[in-house]
Amino acid sequence: MRRKVILIILTSVILFALLVKLITVLYLESFVKDKIQSSLNKTSNKYTIEIKKVNILYLRSGIELKSISVYTDTANEAKGDLNGMISSVRITGVRVLKAVFRRDYHCSRLVISEPVVVGNLPFPDREAPAIISTLHLRIDIASFDSIGLDLRNLSNAKAYRLKNGSLKLFGFHIAPKDTISQHAIGQLQFNAEEIQAVSADSTYTITADSIHYSALSKILEIKEFSIQPNLSDRNFMARFRFETDKIDARFHDIFIHDFPAIDYVKSGTIFSSFIKISNMDIQVYRDKRKKFNHTIKPIFQEMIYDYKGELNIDSIGILQGNVVYTEMVDDARAYGMITFSGISSSIYKISNDTTYKEKEAFLLLRAKGMFMDKSPINILLKAKLFEKQNTFTMSGNLSDFEVKELNPMLENSAFLIARAGKIDGMNFYFVANNTKATGRMKLLYHGLEVTVLNKKTGDSTGIKQKIITFIANRKLIDANPLPGKEVREGEIDHKRDPERFLINYCFKSVFSGIRTTILKNPPEEKKPED
């Protein structure tokens, strides 16, 4: 008898559960699906949202939405054409009483699986940011799994692509009338197989591979970051009226320590105690046959101070790097080229913190490597932060260098070649500011001899070229020190060209010291062209 009662009770419970499930499936879940779909579509006049199925999760106190489609309304295609698909949205741990009586929606976990968005971004407009909630919304952990994005801009060639991304948000809280720009996130974790962007003029593709960010360690890791031109040298330069650097750069194994991702998203803050780059390869090409754009260029200190957000990087370390610079000039038959290899460098104190207007701090750059793959070179740059004249000092040295190693640049850019000559050692130091660089150079060399080439033919055997070569060598002092003489010290004296950047300023300053050392009667430095 007792067993029979227990069996009847169990059967009744099972039947009741099945009945509740049947009612839920047939009526309640369908009702909830229509209600959610209608509510979502009312909040947006640009997109239509369709939900294929809704499951109510009784044991976990939640809900699951499956196969969600989002697409642009035909009437709004001019404002953008975005289409999306989400495999499922699962919400669990809902605080039912808060939701019913306080309209305060709080859940333990939100999981959005395989969200994919493709299409065209709308033209930028001045509409106010969209309010994303009229209620209190709290989510302890929100997860976005297997994210895919493929977006293009209608107004230009900008494009964005995200492959196999995942995002976790901790402590997500939206107050009534909050906009997307105002939302608060406690912490986040992010991973992506690849993020890619195409520049507005379509000339460059920027790619980051294997990106990982940890909320706990605040370390951003990037396996490879690249800036690659999409055009050949000729087609790239055809896009521009003026001289423009074509840059092809790759950086490997990047670690950014103590990086506050939330602060960067909110206000553009860039902070790091240490950035490590294991390997760097940069190639720069410039076609100097194009017109020069006569515009004032900011100096490097001003570029740091003018950054819109807070900028504080304690140090950057590059363990290994190579830089190749090539240029094409009028009448040249090939590129001129200069290389730096085996570079290791450290940069300290990159900051726009205005407290350094009151207390002393210096930006410091140390770099060493091989010049033209042959000679060790060392550079030290030091600049006081928020100094009114933007003063900085630079010192460096080079040793044991055959001058003919410069022929890849001299032959194609200056139309002369070094037949002989060796630099035994070079040391320089100068102080530079907004207007001028001054300093001293000690350049030790011997056996210097050059040949001047014909610009059109590249020949050096004609009578005219032999005469020009003879005169050129007569103007050169072939050694320092000369036999029986003291070492000559060169003078660095160069007026800053405000239309050029830091590298040109430093190079021309060093060259002014070389010129006063090797020439018998060095001409006055040419003033920048108007």
Side-chain angles (χ1 to χ4, degrees), residues 436-439 491-495 508-509 512-513 515 525:
K436 193 175 184 180
T438 57
E491 180 182 1
I492 294 175
D493 188 354
H494 173 64
K495 185 178 180 180
K508 290 292 181 67
S509 298
S512 70
R515 184 176 54 185
E525 185 177 74

Side-chain angles (χ1 to χ4, degrees), residues 178-214:
D178 269 0
T179 66
I180 293 175
S181 61
Q182 296 170 328
H183 69 267
I185 301 171
Q187 286 292 349
L188 65 81
Q189 289 182 344
F190 177 74
N191 298 282
E193 184 178 330
E194 180 182 86
I195 299 176
Q196 194 172 82
V198 177
S199 62
D201 60 3
S202 75
T203 54
Y204 284 102
T205 296
I206 301 170
T207 306
D209 291 323
S210 290
I211 307 102
H212 304 280
Y213 179 75
S214 167

Side-chain angles (χ1 to χ4, degrees), residues 447-486:
L448 183 60
E449 183 181 349
V450 300
T451 295
V452 181
L453 304 176
N454 185 297
K455 287 186 177 182
K456 294 182 178 180
T457 65
D459 185 37
S460 63
T461 60
I463 295 176
K464 183 179 178 181
Q465 295 310 122
K466 288 184 177 180
I467 293 173
I468 295 174
T469 295
F470 174 77
I471 294 172
N473 282 300
R474 291 284 294 175
K475 290 182 178 181
L476 293 176
I477 306 174
D478 66 357
N480 184 29
L482 291 168
K485 301 290 185 179
E486 294 183 354

Side-chain angles (χ1 to χ4, degrees), residues 259-371:
F259 177 67
I262 298 297
D263 291 341
Y264 177 75
V265 172
K266 289 180 179 177
S267 60
T269 295
I270 297 178
F271 177 88
S272 177
S273 60
F274 177 55
I275 298 175
K276 186 186 80 170
I277 301 172
S278 295
N279 190 274
M280 170 189 77
D281 283 291
I282 299 176
Q283 296 183 31
V284 180
Y285 166 68
R286 174 171 283 238
D287 190 339
K288 298 181 75 66
R289 297 169 297 183
K290 307 283 286 188
K291 291 182 180 180
F292 180 74
N293 190 12
H294 293 284
T295 57
I296 302 299
K297 305 291 194 305
I299 60 176
F300 72 95
Q301 293 103 316
E302 291 173 343
M303 295 172 70
I304 293 172
Y305 308 149
D306 291 343
Y307 179 71
K308 299 298 183 182
E310 181 181 347
L311 177 61
N312 271 298
I313 301 174
D314 285 348
S315 62
I316 301 175
I318 300 173
L319 305 186
Q320 170 73 25
N322 302 291
V323 176
V324 178
Y325 172 77
T326 58
E327 67 178 28
M328 179 67 77
V329 302
D330 287 328
D331 300 320
R333 298 178 308 283
Y335 297 141
M337 183 176 65
I338 287 179
T339 67
F340 297 88
S341 58
I343 298 171
S344 63
S345 67
S346 300
I347 308 173
Y348 303 92
K349 212 62 180 177
I350 302 174
S351 176
N352 62 2
D353 188 344
T354 54
T355 60
Y356 293 121
K357 291 181 178 180
E358 306 298 329
K359 59 181 181 179
E360 192 172 71
F362 292 88
L363 180 150
L364 194 67
L365 180 149
R366 298 179 186 273
K368 63 179 181 179
M370 300 296 290
F371 181 55

